[in-house]
Structures are given as C-alpha cells and as structure tokens.
Amino acid sequence: MTKSSEFFAEIPQIPYEGAESSNPLAFKYYDKDQLVLGKRMEDHLRPAACYWHTFCWDGFDVFGEGTFRRPWHELEGQEMAEAKADVAFEFYSKLGIPFYCFHDVDVMAPAANMKEHVENLAAILDVLERKQDETGLKLLWGTANVFSNRRYMSGASTNPDPEVFASAATQVCHAMNATKRLGGENYVFWGGREGYETLLNTDLNREMDQLARLLTLAVEHKHKIGFKGPLLIEPKPHEPTKHQYDRDTATVFAFLQKYGLENEVKVNLETNHATLAGNPMDHEIAMAFAFGIFGSIDANRGDPQNGWDTDQFWNDPLDIVRSMYQIIKNGGFTTGGFNFDAKVRRQSIDAADLFYGHIGGLDALARGLLGAAKLIEAGDVSALVSDRYSGWDDELGKWMMGAASLSDIADKTVADGIDPKPKSGRQEFLENRFGQMA
Ligand code: XUL
Ligand code: CO
C-alpha cells in the first residue's frame, strides 16, 4: 500500500453497502464485482479519476484566489510532485477504482523551459511506476498540457510560430513515451488552444494542416515506440478559445477523414463538451460508434444556467441511462473507460468532499448501467426500433438500396400506386421506458 497521509487520515476504504445504506462514505450502487449482462460492473465502467481537478487545482476562479489550501500546494519542486503522488494514489486506492489519468504537468515539478520539462517529467516517472506497482492502479490515459503555459496562448500545433509547434511536439513526444512506459491504455489530445479568438488574424487552412501534422507525427511515433492503445481526440466546441477545430464528434471525423487519420484516431467524449456543442451526450456516443471512432468518456456535466464548462459530477439519471444504453448496445468500452473529469465546487474544501463527489459520480454511473442493462434484457425498445425499419429488409427496401435507379423507383412508385401509411414514432412510450429505468 501507498504511504498514508494525514490529509486522508479520517477516510476509510470505501465499501459497497447497498441502496439502503445511509453511510455517506459508502457506495449504494457501485458493487464492482456484481455481474451485469455477464460482465463485472468494474469491467463495464472502467472508472478512472483525474489528477488535475482533484490534486492540482487550488480552487481559484476568475474572481478569486484558491480556496482549498491543500498541504502539498505549500511545497515546491520534486518534493511537491512526490507529496501529490502520495495523496493521489491514497485517494484512488481508498476509492477502490482501477484507473487514473494525468497531464504531464499535473504530475511533475514545474519547469522553466523545455529542457527542464523533459528532466522533471522523467524524475517523477519512477515514483508513478512504483506507486502503480504497490497499489495495482493502472493508467487509463496520459496526455500533454499544451494549453496552460504562456507560450501556447496562440495555440500549440496551430501556433503561427513554428518554435511553439516544436515545443508542443516535444511535450507530446515525452508524454507519449511516459504513457507507454506506465502501461497507459490510451493517449488523449484535447486541443484547448487549437482554434482561434478571431478569424481576422487567422490562417485557418494552415492551422488545420499544422494540427493534422502533429497528429500524423504522433501516429508515426506511436507505431515507432510500439504503443498499442488508440490516440483519442477530445472534442470541445469552444472555451478557452472562441472556436476550437475539434468541435464535436462529426466535425472531428470529417477532419480525420480529410487528413487520412480516421483509422488511427478515435474520440474521448466529454459530457459537458457535448452540452456546449448543443448535442446530447447520447448523440455524441451514437455518432462515435456510427463512425467507428468511439474511444473513451470524460464523465461530468454542466449547469443548465451556465454556458461554460463547470465540470460537475454527472448525476442526471435520465441522461446517464440514455448514454449508457448507447454504450452497452454498441458493445461497450474496449480500451476506454469513464474518467471523472469533474471537480468539487470551490466551497467544498474538505477532504471528504472529494470522496462524496466521486462516490456519487460512480453510483450514478452504476445505476445507469443497471437501468440500461434492464432495457437491453427486456428487448422491447430494440424490437420497436427494428420493427420501425423492417420495411427495409423487404423486397422494395432492398431493391432501392441496391439495383434500382432513381427513375426505376419513380416508375415503380407510379405503376404500383405506392401509398405509404404513416405510423407512430412512439416517442412518449420510449421516454417512459427510459424514465422508468433512470
Ligand atoms: C478540458 C478538458 C481537459 C481534457 C484533458 O475541458 O476536458 O481536462 O480532458 O486535457
Ligand atoms: Co476532459
């Protein structure tokens, strides 16, 4: 086990106690070994917690300073990085989840330049590797933060200055190597500054070519180092920039196809990003499966009154059961999982609050999984959908999808007096079925 900290001293290992439990530090629905549709709950959900919101963010917002005052935030350099790793691994272990995720800069001592960046990242890898061995924790995905440092203010790969591209490429190269070394199952790209503030100063064609170039270099590097997991783009329409090129799943797929990367790169979908793009999360999931690029999920939600990325814990039962239905119906995760890219509110300053957030988030996913499994077992929803399209399996449907020309269809329609009979779409019936399971 990892060294126990004073910070989490009051927190026990989180047990599963069932829906009737009133213990706030226990799972009510997440019972990792429970079989659902023949598979362990943990293997369906593959839950991960992130480093950045939980251990790096100090609670600052645009109007105010940090509120958390965590003990490790008082430290500096490698000492700070190691203290953070101690509490992080203790947290993940007490929560009892199998995976974690990080950006390069989350885990390492801050660096003043790229040489120091490479050295400081290397210095923490031994520590992370040892902690993974001690706890059995695994890395769901690694990534590079190429959006926070001042040098990236006008983009990383999309920057007008090639020296910035070189810096981003350096970070990506070393973050990929680190992810490989730690046995990471995926590698993520979120293009926070890969977009523009104003078209007036932007050469859009060049920027998209540059973005595709960095991705192509990363694909080549992945094969060169023998990294087996997929590369994932995380779509988000805007914030921090006014417009980001990786807007949503459909936009990302068009981009990947334009540059011949559609067989190499998949998506990491985030709930609040879907909301910002004006898409329901189940739409994003269904589209990703339709294009064959479903990878992983960052689980969170926004606030209905706020138009920005509030990264709250996902707890909307109907939204979750609808999303889970799409995931399970389409075969579930392979290398991906549910990463809690979610943070407690800045007034939630206690150690226990970090646990309440994640326990609630995981219970909500478990409940959604159980609801979706019931709908899949009952089979009435899928039977209704198949029946709706059954004409396409008959003669006329097959002929139009195959041999027929447009004029053949026109001639036959008139000759046979084809006269379609409208049928109910049954939306309320279906919404009631999902509501019943939420
Ligand atoms: C930002 C976001 C990131 C990515 C990783 O909105 O979601 O934390 O998940 O860079
Ligand atoms: Co995210």
Side-chain angles (χ1 to χ4, degrees):
M1 277 301 286
T2 182
K3 191 166 76 190
S4 186
S5 69
E6 253 176 60
F7 188 68
F8 288 130
E10 304 296 310
I11 310 285
Q13 184 71 33
I14 306 301
Y16 163 72
E17 291 185 358
E20 302 309 315
S21 168
S22 57
N23 175 4
L25 289 174
F27 291 114
K28 317 293 180 302
Y29 297 93
Y30 180 66
D31 177 12
K32 65 181 171 148
D33 293 318
Q34 183 182 335
L35 291 182
V36 181
L37 300 172
K39 194 159 133 182
R40 290 172 64 249
M41 209 178 244
E42 183 185 83
D43 298 333
H44 274 289
L45 300 177
R46 295 168 56 80
C50 77
Y51 233 87
W52 52 99
H53 290 313
T54 308
F55 303 107
C56 305
W57 181 49
D58 67 359
F60 82 93
D61 72 6
V62 283
F63 297 102
E65 62 180 354
T67 52
F68 294 150
R69 309 262 164 101
R70 308 293 193 213
W72 57 95
H73 289 156
E74 312 297 318
L75 306 174
E76 283 177 8
Q78 180 71 5
E79 195 192 356
M80 181 275 293
E82 293 192 19
K84 213 198 278 184
D86 283 341
V87 285
F89 278 76
E90 184 182 350
F91 174 80
Y92 302 136
S93 301
K94 285 187 166 169
L95 197 58
I97 52 169
F99 292 108
Y100 75 114
C101 298
F102 67 80
H103 300 84
D104 47 6
V105 302
D106 300 339
V107 292
M108 56 184 255
N113 52 50
M114 291 314 301
K115 181 171 177 291
E116 251 183 59
H117 177 96
V118 173
E119 289 165 2
N120 294 0
L121 178 60
I124 199 72
L125 289 185
D126 287 340
V127 176
L128 296 178
E129 199 167 48
R130 196 182 66 239
K131 289 197 168 288
Q132 286 188 198
D133 286 347
E134 283 169 4
T135 58
L137 218 90
K138 291 176 287 183
L139 181 61
L140 185 65
W141 49 262
T143 187
N145 176 334
V146 289
F147 44 86
S148 293
N149 190 287
R150 180 172 179 266
R151 75 174 76 89
Y152 298 122
M153 69 177 187
S154 311
S157 67
T158 59
N159 202 290
D161 179 351
E163 292 197 0
V164 180
F165 183 109
S167 309
T170 307
Q171 273 189 247
V172 169
C173 177
H174 287 277
M176 285 180 75
N177 294 348
T179 304
K180 157 97 173 36
R181 175 169 159 196
L182 296 173
E185 302 206 11
N186 309 267
Y187 183 85
V188 166
F189 290 89
W190 170 60
R193 310 268 176 199
E194 309 310 292
Y196 58 77
E197 293 298 340
T198 171
L199 255 188
L200 303 182
N201 67 11
T202 302
D203 184 336
L204 198 133
N205 291 355
R206 264 189 194 272
E207 292 206 358
M208 289 199 291
D209 284 353
Q210 288 169 212
L211 180 57
R213 178 65 185 147
L214 186 67
L215 273 177
T216 304
L217 289 168
V219 168
E220 284 167 13
H221 189 67
K222 163 190 151 155
H223 293 300
K224 186 167 129 191
I225 63 175
F227 178 67
K228 296 283 177 270
L231 304 185
L232 307 176
I233 289 183
E234 185 172 320
K236 185 175 183 182
H238 50 79
E239 200 205 3
T241 63
K242 174 184 162 50
H243 175 87
Q244 278 155 222
Y245 299 125
D246 304 330
R247 198 182 183 285
D248 63 358
T249 302
T251 317
V252 165
F253 187 69
F255 174 84
L256 293 174
Q257 264 192 326
K258 172 171 159 65
Y259 293 98
L261 291 165
E262 71 274 21
N263 297 322
E264 296 282 0
V265 182
K266 297 181 175 175
V267 282
N268 180 41
L269 300 172
E270 177 163 322
T271 326
N272 201 169
H273 297 179
T275 307
L276 291 174
N279 296 326
M281 185 59 166
D282 62 343
H283 165 89
E284 285 293 272
I285 296 168
M287 289 296 271
F289 275 110
F291 291 132
I293 56 168
F294 178 78
S296 199
I297 289 189
D298 273 10
N300 63 21
R301 70 177 164 95
D303 179 299
Q305 272 77 51
N306 292 343
W308 63 89
D309 200 3
T310 60
D311 285 336
Q312 286 166 262
F313 286 88
W314 201 11
N315 60 6
D316 175 340
L318 192 54
D319 203 26
I320 297 176
V321 80
R322 287 174 57 139
S323 298
M324 205 64 78
Y325 183 78
Q326 290 299 330
I327 296 170
I328 305 304
K329 171 172 89 82
N330 283 293
F333 290 116
T334 50
T335 61
F338 277 108
N339 168 43
F340 290 107
D341 191 352
K343 62 189 182 209
V344 295
R345 300 303 89 188
R346 71 194 281 277
Q347 296 173 56
S348 302
I349 58 177
D350 294 344
D353 292 316
L354 294 173
F355 279 88
Y356 298 148
H358 288 82
I359 290 169
L362 200 38
D363 269 340
L365 293 179
R367 234 178 135 162
L369 171 66
L370 292 167
K374 274 194 205 153
L375 286 168
I376 285 166
E377 272 169 343
D380 56 332
V381 171
S382 64
L384 192 151
V385 176
S386 311
D387 182 57
R388 221 173 151 230
Y389 293 88
S390 57
W392 288 95
D393 299 326
D394 292 343
E395 206 182 317
L396 175 67
K398 283 189 177 153
W399 177 67
M400 291 196 297
M401 289 301 281
S405 71
L406 192 65
S407 59
D408 289 341
I409 296 172
D411 292 347
K412 184 176 169 61
T413 303
V414 173
D416 294 2
I418 286 180
D419 182 17
K421 308 274 176 303
K423 274 191 205 154
S424 169
R426 293 272 183 270
Q427 182 164 338
E428 294 74 16
F429 166 87
L430 291 165
E431 285 176 352
N432 294 352
R433 288 292 284 139
F434 277 78
Q436 203 182 348
M437 299 303 168

